[in-house]
């Protein structure tokens, strides 16, 4: 049977992992989604997968403490990384986030790419910068989505896109930057296509080399 066009057309919740463990085996390429809370990450995941409540299922008050994995039609995994709401979070929360998310980003060989969401109305908040700083040494592909773009006028959209592109240009990643709206659908199809490409590339050998056993 021919494979469905997009890996995002068959998605299922797989597992939650915490600081104490629970990560699935690294046998499939992973696409990690990150962003501060309320940026529209769950809505974006739902729009990309055409599911209404997929990413909300795992949205509980303790969500800064878990990484949620979703299977993408057996071709890859979507990884929902926790974000927090404010720059000034208790030190303990930040330390736990560093350990969990930083640990994942720094060590995950299955990681094929990272999608960072920033609110198009006010990108580059302190938390966004903190996240981008964490991503600096991460060599995988990076896509920055400027979320809730429907809240901006056409002129504002053009402006924020070029500002964000200029600001991210020349960084370690050569990040792609796009406008995105779960509500209007702007950028949804293009993002799905790009991420499918990333999965395909990761599945055909464009991977980090395996770590040799001792
Ligand atoms: P998360 O905390 O990052 O997962 O954010 P959610 O997906 O839960 O969205 C936070 C709030 O922003 C909710 O009230 C959503 O309805 C709203 N929202 C999410 N995406 C969009 C969008 O594309 N456009 C608009 N106007 N609102 C959005």
């Amino acid at each position: 049977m021919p494979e469905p066009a997009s890996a995002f057309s068959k998605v299922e919740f797989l597992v939650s992992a915490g600081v104490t463990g629970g990560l699935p085996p690294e046998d499939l390429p992973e696409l990690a989604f990150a962003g501060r809370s309320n940026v529209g990450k769950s809505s974006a995941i739902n729009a990309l997968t055409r599911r209404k409540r997929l990413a909300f299922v795992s949205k509980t008050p303790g969500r800064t403490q878990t990484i949620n994995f979703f299977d993408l039609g057996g071709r890859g995994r979507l990884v929902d990384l926790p974000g927090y709401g404010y720059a000034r979070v208790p030190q303990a929360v930040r330390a736990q986030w560093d350990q969990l998310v930083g640990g994942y980003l720094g060590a995950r060989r299955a990681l094929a790419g990272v999608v960072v969401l920033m609110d198009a109305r006010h990108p580059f908040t302190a938390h966004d910068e903190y996240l981008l700083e964490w991503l600096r040494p991460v060599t995988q592909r990076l896509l920055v989505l400027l979320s809730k773009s429907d809240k901006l006028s056409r002129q504002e959209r053009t402006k924020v896109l070029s500002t964000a592109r200029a600001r991210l240009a020349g960084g370690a990643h050569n990040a792609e930057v796009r406008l995105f709206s779960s509500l209007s659908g702007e950028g949804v199809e293009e993002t799905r296509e790009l991420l499918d490409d990333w999965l395909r590339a990761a599945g055909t050998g464009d991977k980090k080399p395996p770590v040799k056993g001792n």
Side-chain angles (χ1 to χ4, degrees):
M1 265 205 351
E3 287 201 326
S6 170
F8 290 83
S9 54
K10 195 164 175 278
V11 54
E12 268 173 53
F13 176 74
L14 194 65
V15 71
S16 284
V19 278
T20 54
L23 296 169
E26 302 198 54
D27 51 354
L28 286 171
E30 292 177 350
L31 302 170
F33 282 66
R36 64 171 177 77
S37 65
N38 219 37
V39 74
K41 179 160 56 73
S42 304
S43 302
I45 291 171
N46 290 337
L48 289 166
T49 57
R50 300 194 181 96
R51 296 273 293 268
K52 284 204 170 71
R53 301 217 33 93
L54 189 75
F56 293 123
V57 174
S58 51
K59 243 179 123 166
T60 62
R63 67 181 179 271
T64 52
Q65 289 149 31
T66 57
I67 296 179
N68 296 306
F69 291 81
F70 300 85
D71 177 72
L72 294 171
R75 283 191 258 168
R77 296 199 179 113
L78 188 159
V79 183
D80 187 0
L81 298 173
Y84 46 77
Y86 309 95
R88 270 185 228 102
V89 293
Q91 185 53 37
V93 174
R94 178 170 286 205
Q96 193 180 43
W97 187 91
D98 288 353
Q99 190 186 349
L100 181 67
V101 180
Y104 170 86
L105 291 171
R108 193 73 173 165
R109 283 177 295 117
L111 188 61
V114 182
V115 181
V116 170
L117 287 100
M118 294 196 286
D119 193 314
R121 290 167 300 175
H122 29 78
F124 301 102
T125 63
H127 181 269
D128 297 335
E129 297 282 11
Y130 188 69
L131 180 60
L132 290 168
E133 200 53 44
W134 262 106
L135 286 166
R136 199 181 292 276
V138 177
T139 53
Q140 285 83 358
R141 297 170 179 84
L142 177 65
L143 170 65
V144 173
L145 296 179
L146 300 167
S147 68
K148 308 189 191 182
S149 66
D150 57 280
K151 297 212 179 203
L152 299 182
S153 68
R154 181 189 291 254
Q155 209 179 4
E156 289 169 326
R157 287 209 292 276
T158 311
K159 190 169 169 225
V160 73
L161 186 61
S162 63
T163 308
R165 279 190 174 142
R167 197 146 162 185
L168 289 160
H173 313 280
N174 209 3
E176 291 237 16
V177 189
R178 295 185 179 188
L179 292 161
F180 190 94
S181 167
S182 309
L183 205 68
S184 74
E186 180 173 29
V188 174
E189 194 56 48
E190 296 88 334
T191 298
R192 200 184 290 124
E193 279 170 20
L194 180 70
L195 297 180
D196 270 321
D197 284 350
W198 286 7
L199 283 183
R200 267 192 293 272
T204 53
D206 179 16
K207 286 178 185 166
K208 294 183 98 176
V211 174
K212 287 206 182 92
N214 294 318

